Amino acid sequence: MGNKQTIFTQEQLDAYQDCTFFTRKEILRLFHRYRDLAPQLVPLDYSDKPAVTLPYELIGSMPELKDNPFRQRIAEVFSEHGDGNMTLEDFLDMFSVLSEMAPRDLKAYYAFKIYDFNNDDYICKSDLEKTVNKLTRNELTPEEVSLVCEKVIYEADVDNDGKLSLADFQHMIVRAPDFLSTFHIRI
Amino acid sequence: EDKEEDESKEEDNGSQQNRVSRRKNYQRKNRNGKKAREEGSQKKDRGKTAPNKDQKESENKEKKTTKRGKEGENKHMKGRKSSTSSASSNSSDEESLSEEELAMLKEQVEQKKKLISTMRNKPWRMVKKLSVLREAQDFVEKFEGALGKGKGKKLYAYKMMMAKKWVKFKRDFENFKTQCIPWEMKIKEVESHFGSSVASYFIFLRWMYGVNLVLFGLIFGLVIIPEVLMGMPYGSLPRKTVPRAEQATAMDFSVLWDFEGYIKYSALFYGYYNNQRTIGWLKYRLPMAYFMVGISIFGYSLMVVIRSMARNANESTADGDDDNFIFSWKMFTSWDYLIGNPETADNKFASITTSFKESIVDEQESNKDENIHLRRFLRVLANVLIICCLCGSGYLIYFVVKRSQTFSKMQNVGWYERNEVEIVMSLLGMFCPPLFETIAALENYHPRIGLKWQLGRIFALFLGNLYTFLLALMDDVNEKLAEEDVVKNITHWTLLGHHNSSAGNDSIVTPAPLDPADVPRGPCWETTVGIEFVRLTVSDILVTYITILVGDFIRACFVRFVNYCWCWDLEAGFPSYAEFDISGNVLGLVFNQGMIWMGSFYAPGLVGINVLRLLTSMYFQCWAVMSSNVPHARVFKASKSNNFYMGLLLLILFLSLLPVAYTIMSLPPSFDCGPFSGKKRMYDVIQETIELDFPLFVAKIFSYLANPGLIIPAILLMVLTIYYLNAVSKAYQHANAELKKKMQMQREEEKNKRNNKASTNPMLQDLEDLLTPSTKTESPPKQAEDKKIESPNGSSPARKPGRGEALAGSPTVGERGAAFTLPSPVFVTQPWTLGIRAPYPGQPRPWGHPLGPVPGRGRGQPCY
């Protein structure tokens, strides 16, 4: 493309393009978005891979995320130590999975992780309750919440163990008409 | 560089005798490559079902392959060393050694390449992805050159290089393509503020713009520009000249604004075109081109609309079984991650809550119809009222059009009289939809159904208006046709008289030609129709823009700034901010397009106006939405409505095809204007072309083809084909539904089985226990499970909570027992759920409601 940029080396850019669904331009744009969160922390030269981590408070305040009820979970799932603090690579990872081009299976895998609040590899009733309460801002009564959760488990639990495994979740989510259109963030 | 070094080394010891074996090698490599690919695809399939497992597997494989790769490398190095040290004697040995190795290597390289190309699909952390990627790339780099030798190797390296270049080119091209999509950022911005439903309107607008650009290219490239460049210039013919009587005012703005004067006699309208068969040095057949472009506009539009509809339908095939996962989908897919605006988020929270509540109510099925008679009465009443409105508006338009015809005969009519039709239609379009909405409140439908009714009614209103307008126009046209017969004679006699008089005066000098401006003209109904459509379009544009300015922008300004000194809260209270009216805007766009399709045959410039309109409204509406609208309270999904819009568009396209086809097929063209003047019908131009420009046998073939004896069977055949395809698709649908039902049944059955097994077995167990109390102390696994249930809060010390067990594999009933280490004997004898659990073994339990404590549930401890 001709325009020189000194943030990444060419190899780094190529590798990022291989590992994400972004084009070169988008990667650079994402880098600038990342840097804008904390210009004093993030250096303009990434060719020697500085170990910079931005805290969750900054990540969660991005306009793309700040109204999302699951923003904390998203950040936790994509951060390296599960604490919501992100390096640039985690950041790229996150938006790559949430981009339009990511395939359904990958999205479903991460959606499962996001909705699995207690990280036990199953979505169980407490996870579902948390999800409902986040979605409705605690507007439903506890009876209604538990009814909804039971219905969800009844509908989607194929192996009948009272909680949703990844396979259950995928089986359900691949049929959802709106999953692909709603589970993505444009940036 | 490494590769090249390798090459030179290999070439040093390149001996003739190796060729045969090399060739063999190649064949094998190819085969292996195939195999590897197959394997890869198998792996992929497996990967779909269980990414977790796949992940581990592939990791393991990774390790193995790298190990193997290293071994291979070592061997290879050894081989190379030996070969360099002793020239040709060892080479055969090396061949035999590395033949298999090479095959393996090839396979691995293929695998690695596959891995590289699918790296972005792996659910790994970036660090891991990067390291694996680098490893794989190094591997490929190192070995892909070593696979061939001599010439083969060079070729291979070249191929690889080209492949790399190709990948790079494709990537650049993709980048370029995404840059070329217009307004992507604008639409994204709107989308993030207002959700996908508002963005769907803008995407629709953009799509429409693309279609119109193509139509514009067709008309301008094939009709208007040739006419302007090569046709007779302005003023050379009566049809290309402003009549003497009008010349004084022909340049006034008020006249031009009505598309009279110079604009009427320009290439923008039908009447300007000459009926010369060929024009210019290119011998361009303009009348023929005009006709074909008119047809191909419809052909292209039909094709595009149907294709995009089919694509949409293909994309949305998955949402067949709607009723299986109502709650799950609501739970996991209702949040739109695109929302990046607090107001939209608030609305979304509210709408999700209400939809949950609605579903809960539906589920409980406690819809006690308070007064079904009253509701029915109200619905009928509402429909009667709306039909009255529709009829009234239809009559009003008819009346106004009639009046305008009398006005047009009178001289000196005011501005209002001249624009009455447009004003009335715009007012109707402005005030009827809210009126319908008010009436629809009587009906008390579910909002989703209500929206469909509303859309249908507005559609009917617009359609009724359009067709009344067309009928009135038809009357006008018929009048003009009658007038034309009279004028034709006058013109004829005038010309003849002029000729005679000049001949009588001076027989030597050729008669001075009559000035084109003085020749009496026919009314040229085609241009009248074209002007009518252009006027309607322009007034529609103006009304739309003024509505946006007044209804959205000024209202927003008022609410925003007067709020400081007002007695109630304007923002939350009565006027508030406007919402973006998706359905109204989409319908407006669709109808506007219908106008364009109808009018473009008689006013080729209309498409140009429309392109401008779409372009400006893209910017203008984007600005208006972002500056003065608030997000919707009732959000409806974009993904499903898209095909609905397309369906409306198709309907409009078909409806606008009818009048144009009617006029082409059955009305005689004007005698003194337009490309078809002098012919009996417009389509005669085709016959003429066939007869004059094609060899005789083509004309013969066409005359055979045009025979009704051939056409009627052809139509019959088509109808039969449609019938057959319809039947086949119905059969497929039926089969599909049947399969779905079967799957559902199977699922239920499986659930039943599991549940019954899980619940009946312990029951039997308990019975057994009662019979033989001595066996109890041995505490069989099933019973251990019972204990678990009794103490679900993790009172059993012997079991690690959750995870370890969860990882143990898919929890099937058979493994259930094995997963438990026996706890210290807590003694339970009571068959406490005997009544609640399956009443009879084998009878399906009522599923809809919370089952009694199912034993299976004891397994997921951390959930509690």
Side-chain angles (χ1 to χ4, degrees), chain A residues 17-18 21 23 77 79 89 93 119 122 124 135 137 151 154-155 157 160 163 175 178 182 186, chain B residues 120-121 125-126 129-130 171 175 191 327-328 337 346 349 363 639 747 751 755 803 806 860 863:
Chain A
Q17 286 185 61
D18 275 330
F21 293 95
T23 60
V77 163
S79 63
E89 292 179 347
D93 239 356
N119 294 325
Y122 285 101
C124 54
L135 274 180
R137 285 191 175 155
K151 286 302 292 181
Y154 164 68
E155 284 168 1
D157 183 18
N160 214 35
K163 52 197 178 182
R175 285 164 179 73
D178 299 322
T182 57
R186 295 206 197 203
Chain B
R120 57 190 68 162
N121 293 346
R125 296 231 163 278
M126 182 73 91
K129 274 195 271 187
L130 283 177
R171 192 177 275 167
N175 291 355
E191 194 171 28
F327 281 94
S328 314
Y337 279 61
D346 284 344
F349 281 124
E363 190 58 36
S639 59
R747 190 164 148 248
K751 263 191 172 178
N755 257 22
R803 205 157 217 176
C863 312

Side-chain angles (χ1 to χ4, degrees), chain A:
Chain A
M1 296 290 211
N3 48 344
K4 284 277 171 240
Q5 52 85 25
T6 53
I7 302 162
F8 301 109
T9 62
Q10 194 56 47
E11 290 77 52
Q12 271 179 314
L13 266 184
D14 277 340
Y16 284 146
Q17 286 185 61
D18 275 330
C19 290
T20 63
F21 293 95
F22 294 126
T23 60
R24 181 192 134 96
K25 204 178 144 202
E26 284 166 324
I27 287 169
L28 289 176
R29 197 169 71 221
L30 275 170
F31 168 76
H32 286 296
R33 288 297 307 273
Y34 182 74
R35 189 171 178 276
D36 286 345
L37 293 176
Q40 70 282 5
L41 282 180
V42 184
L44 260 177
D45 181 14
Y46 249 75
S47 49
D48 54 345
K49 295 179 193 143
V52 177
T53 316
L54 291 191
Y56 164 71
E57 287 72 36
L58 284 178
I59 302 283
S61 68
M62 290 181 69
E64 281 84 3
L65 287 176
K66 76 174 189 319
D67 292 305
N68 196 321
F70 304 109
R71 60 184 178 282
Q72 179 136 22
R73 276 304 296 167
I74 298 174
E76 281 170 12
V77 163
F78 285 99
S79 63
E80 193 164 359
H81 305 292
D83 50 5
N85 304 336
M86 298 191 121
T87 62
L88 175 66
E89 292 179 347
D90 295 334
F91 191 77
L92 285 178
D93 239 356
M94 172 168 79
F95 284 110
S96 167
V97 168
L98 289 170
S99 75
E100 239 171 327
M101 276 88 73
R104 205 180 266 264
D105 286 336
L106 186 69
K107 277 177 185 276
Y109 174 78
Y110 277 103
F112 179 81
K113 287 189 107 179
I114 286 171
Y115 294 122
D116 176 20
F117 282 84
N118 51 12
N119 294 325
D120 65 348
D121 291 336
Y122 285 101
I123 294 181
C124 54
K125 213 175 159 199
S126 68
D127 294 329
L128 291 176
E129 277 165 7
K130 264 186 201 160
T131 312
V132 173
N133 282 332
K134 274 190 188 294
L135 274 180
T136 59
R137 285 191 175 155
N138 301 320
E139 294 271 322
L140 295 183
T141 63
E143 291 83 47
E144 284 171 329
V145 171
S146 85
L147 176 70
V148 168
C149 297
E150 270 156 18
K151 286 302 292 181
V152 170
I153 289 181
Y154 164 68
E155 284 168 1
D157 183 18
V158 179
D159 50 17
N160 214 35
D161 54 359
K163 52 197 178 182
L164 306 187
S165 64
L166 181 59
D168 293 337
F169 186 77
Q170 279 176 331
H171 175 257
M172 179 269 295
I173 213 78
V174 291
R175 285 164 179 73
D178 299 322
F179 176 62
L180 277 188
S181 64
T182 57
F183 194 74
H184 82 119
I185 293 179
R186 295 206 197 203
I187 188 158

